[in-house]
Amino acid sequence: MSTRTIAGQALLPEVEAFLSKDIHGAAIGGREVFASNGDTFDTHDPGTGETLATVANMQPDDVEQAVAAAQEAFDKADWARLPANERGVHLMRLADAVEQHRLVITQIESLDCGKIAAQAEEDVQNFIDTIRYFCNLAQGLSLDTAIPVAGHEASVVRHAWGPCGFIVPWNFPFLLCGWGIGPAMAAGNTCVVKPAEDTPLSTLYVAHLAKEIGIPDGVINVIPGVGEVTGAALSKNRNLRRMSFTGSPEVGRMVARECGQNLIPVKLELGGKGAAVVFDDVDIPDAADKLAQAITFHTGQVCCDATRWLVQKSIYDDFVNTAVERLKAVQIGHPLGQATQMGPVVSDTQHKRVLGYLEKGTAAGAETVLAGGAAKVEGCDGGHYVKPALLAGTLDNLAAREEIFGPVAYLAPFSDESEGIRLANDTDYGLANSVWSSDLARCKRVASLFEAGNGWINSHNVVVHGVPYAGVKKSGMGGGVVSLETLLDYYRSISVIRPL
């Protein structure tokens, strides 16, 4: 029986046992491996600031070992040459194992990244759904497709690439691990995953599950470590065949540069500064409530979030007042607390970043509509808590143009449809915007004119398996996720032609 409790919640025995390890090593070739130089780092509970676990900080030679293990599994374990249905058996067993350990992974994820338990459980379910989605999709995909051309017999034949690298961020560590390895493995590739140093635990846990349920050694390798060492070494590795990075545009550029030098195709899912364009025919309480939920979901640490609220002038004051009251009522607490509606940001660094943007934004002329600032939670003095905040003013303010990654929205009025679209598109980012109106024809028209990868109607943060999700401009390149296009990214094609 567990004796340790956090925020009134007892840790599950499996979680206590997992966290009690002296050092959490990497998973390479089916073995637990520690850093070649013995280096480690600590991961912390963002809700209390207390140390959760000590983790191996894998070095460049360790990264090389992981890529070699992935190559060996690709070449000798015949993962790529298994029929799709046989790979599917392994993948379905992995999804089943995660489902059976859902509550364990939920608690690990909640503690590691500060996500409230209900949201962490949704992420675990998303991982399960992702693995099953791509597993089923791969079963029905023809890998030898005839092409009708005059005078020739032609076809496109698809093959797995080989070892694929993944650098996963700290805001959705488990969900995004699934978004990466799901399509890659379903297509027959092997994987080397570098989780964020703030949140490596759930990815390490699933690597152990993969070993237990019989996925061949080396198909899933997880190499924890700090970005400047482990992530940089993975980005530079010449033996990868594909690379995927999710994170900030600044780091994304560095990853792309390294991959470009090695001519390795790279997929980048980067940041956002999404707009919500709210017209005057909305149900104000409903729209304000949904946008308040969006901006406080995972404490605003969501790349596709609605962080610019553009509200038609005739309802601007009523909408703002309603949103302020809704945000004031948000219950801030430890992620495991039963009454918690919004938890902490992930780290002290992120805490300072959010508060710093509030200071810089107001210093640059933004109006404080709802003061944010640091929040206190009883019994969690070391936690990284912030209050929701609303700023307003001209959209040239840095708080309106730069990604804050916290529960902060910037408000501005607009007059008509054309201005609303223009303001929404006036950003270097292009990930996701939303339009809010009871006129569905207008909604479709406006959403279709966004300079973004995603246009949502009367909702925000809508990601559905089967619908491409990707960014443009500063928000990404190289293809999307959770769709057929994603699976196709993880095959290389060869055109086979015979003159008739």
Side-chain angles (χ1 to χ4, degrees):
M1 292 291 292
S2 172
T3 56
R4 183 181 174 190
T5 62
I6 299 177
Q9 297 296 306
L11 294 191
L12 295 169
E14 297 93 333
V15 175
E16 273 208 281
F18 180 69
L19 295 180
S20 68
K21 293 181 61 174
D22 291 336
I23 300 175
H24 292 256
I28 297 177
R31 299 182 298 112
E32 185 169 31
V33 178
F34 301 95
S36 56
N37 64 354
D39 200 16
T40 63
F41 64 95
D42 290 338
T43 181
H44 300 87
D45 173 1
T48 63
E50 296 176 356
T51 298
L52 277 178
T54 298
V55 184
N57 184 26
M58 307 306 286
Q59 301 300 302
D61 54 335
D62 304 317
V63 174
E64 190 65 46
Q65 181 184 354
V67 175
Q71 185 69 61
E72 183 175 6
F74 185 77
D75 292 337
K76 298 181 181 179
D78 286 336
W79 179 253
R81 285 174 288 281
L82 283 177
N85 63 319
E86 292 187 27
R87 276 200 307 273
V89 170
H90 287 288
L91 292 171
M92 284 300 188
R93 286 175 179 167
L94 178 62
D96 290 346
V98 171
E99 192 165 47
Q100 291 161 9
H101 294 81
R102 176 204 306 268
L103 296 182
V104 174
I105 301 171
T106 292
Q107 203 167 76
I108 291 171
E109 188 80 335
S110 182
L111 288 170
D112 206 22
C113 71
K115 191 175 300 238
I116 65 174
Q119 294 171 3
E121 188 168 3
E122 290 174 359
D123 288 2
V124 176
Q125 184 61 51
N126 192 290
F127 180 102
I128 296 165
D129 294 342
T130 297
I131 298 296
R132 290 174 176 163
Y133 169 73
F134 284 112
C135 175
N136 290 327
L137 198 60
Q139 309 304 305
L141 186 66
S142 172
L143 301 182
D144 189 344
T145 306
I147 304 173
V149 291
H152 296 80
E153 179 183 82
S155 64
V156 169
V157 179
R158 295 184 174 91
H159 299 277
W161 287 90
C164 298
F166 301 90
I167 297 179
V168 180
W170 47 257
N171 58 336
F172 288 86
F174 197 66
L175 180 151
L176 291 176
C177 176
W179 284 14
I181 69 173
M185 292 172 62
N189 300 283
T190 54
C191 304
V192 180
V193 184
K194 191 275 175 192
E197 56 261 39
D198 287 313
T199 58
L201 298 182
S202 60
T203 311
L204 288 169
Y205 189 88
V206 83
H208 296 311
L209 282 184
K211 172 75 172 177
E212 289 177 10
I213 58 101
I215 286 183
D217 293 344
V219 171
I220 300 176
N221 305 276
V222 179
I223 46 170
V226 300
E228 295 85 351
V229 177
T230 317
L234 187 61
S235 301
K236 295 175 182 177
N237 193 284
R238 297 177 179 221
N239 296 316
L240 292 174
R241 293 295 175 262
R242 281 197 69 87
M243 184 71 191
S244 174
F245 170 82
T246 306
S248 71
E250 295 75 21
V251 179
R253 286 191 181 97
M254 292 190 285
V255 172
R257 183 166 57 246
E258 298 294 350
C259 290
Q261 289 181 345
N262 293 325
L263 298 180
I264 293 172
V266 60
K267 181 196 298 284
L268 301 177
E269 295 292 334
L270 307 177
K273 196 67 179 177
V277 183
V278 183
F279 286 94
D280 59 8
D281 59 349
V282 297
D283 179 327
I284 292 176
D286 180 66
D289 180 67
K290 287 177 179 176
L291 284 173
Q293 289 182 49
I295 201 63
T296 55
F297 174 67
H298 194 25
T299 322
Q301 299 167 119
V302 183
C303 55
C304 58
D305 218 339
T307 54
R308 294 177 296 140
W309 294 359
L310 310 176
V311 184
Q312 201 157 20
K313 288 179 179 178
S314 58
I315 64 166
Y316 182 85
D317 290 338
D318 287 344
F319 185 89
V320 170
N321 291 335
T322 303
V324 166
E325 292 307 310
R326 172 65 180 81
L327 289 169
K328 283 181 177 177
V330 171
Q331 297 295 308
I332 301 171
H334 190 278
L336 296 186
Q338 291 186 334
T340 298
Q341 295 175 319
M342 189 176 83
V345 292
V346 73
S347 65
D348 181 59
T349 298
Q350 192 63 20
H351 191 262
K352 291 174 179 174
R353 176 185 174 90
V354 174
L355 299 185
Y357 266 106
L358 293 177
E359 293 177 3
K360 290 184 287 188
T362 53
E367 172 195 355
T368 299
V369 176
L370 175 63
K376 297 292 185 183
V377 172
E378 185 177 354
C380 299
D381 292 340
H384 313 306
Y385 298 95
V386 295
K387 301 173 186 176
L390 295 176
L391 301 178
T394 61
L395 292 177
D396 59 355
N397 189 289
L398 83 169
R401 304 205 68 83
E402 298 181 13
E403 188 175 34
I404 298 173
F405 232 52
V408 182
Y410 198 100
L411 295 120
F414 71 90
S415 57
D416 56 22
E417 182 176 310
S418 62
E419 185 183 25
I421 295 170
R422 179 179 63 80
L423 294 177
N425 291 337
D426 184 18
T427 173
D428 293 335
Y429 292 95
L431 186 52
N433 298 324
S434 57
V435 54
W436 302 75
S437 171
S438 60
D439 183 343
L440 295 184
R442 174 164 61 186
C443 285
K444 179 64 182 294
R445 183 171 62 247
V446 171
S448 300
L449 292 173
F450 287 143
E451 294 175 5
N454 304 278
W456 296 321
I457 294 174
N458 293 326
S459 189
H460 207 92
N461 297 333
V462 186
V463 182
V464 180
H465 288 94
V467 180
Y469 170 92
V472 299
K473 299 195 285 189
K474 198 176 174 181
S475 291
M477 56 171 275
V481 295
V482 300
S483 66
L484 173 61
E485 287 84 348
T486 319
L487 181 63
L488 293 176
D489 276 347
Y490 287 100
Y491 294 99
R492 62 175 178 85
S493 297
I494 179 169
S495 297
V496 179
I497 307 173
R498 179 177 69 89
L500 297 176

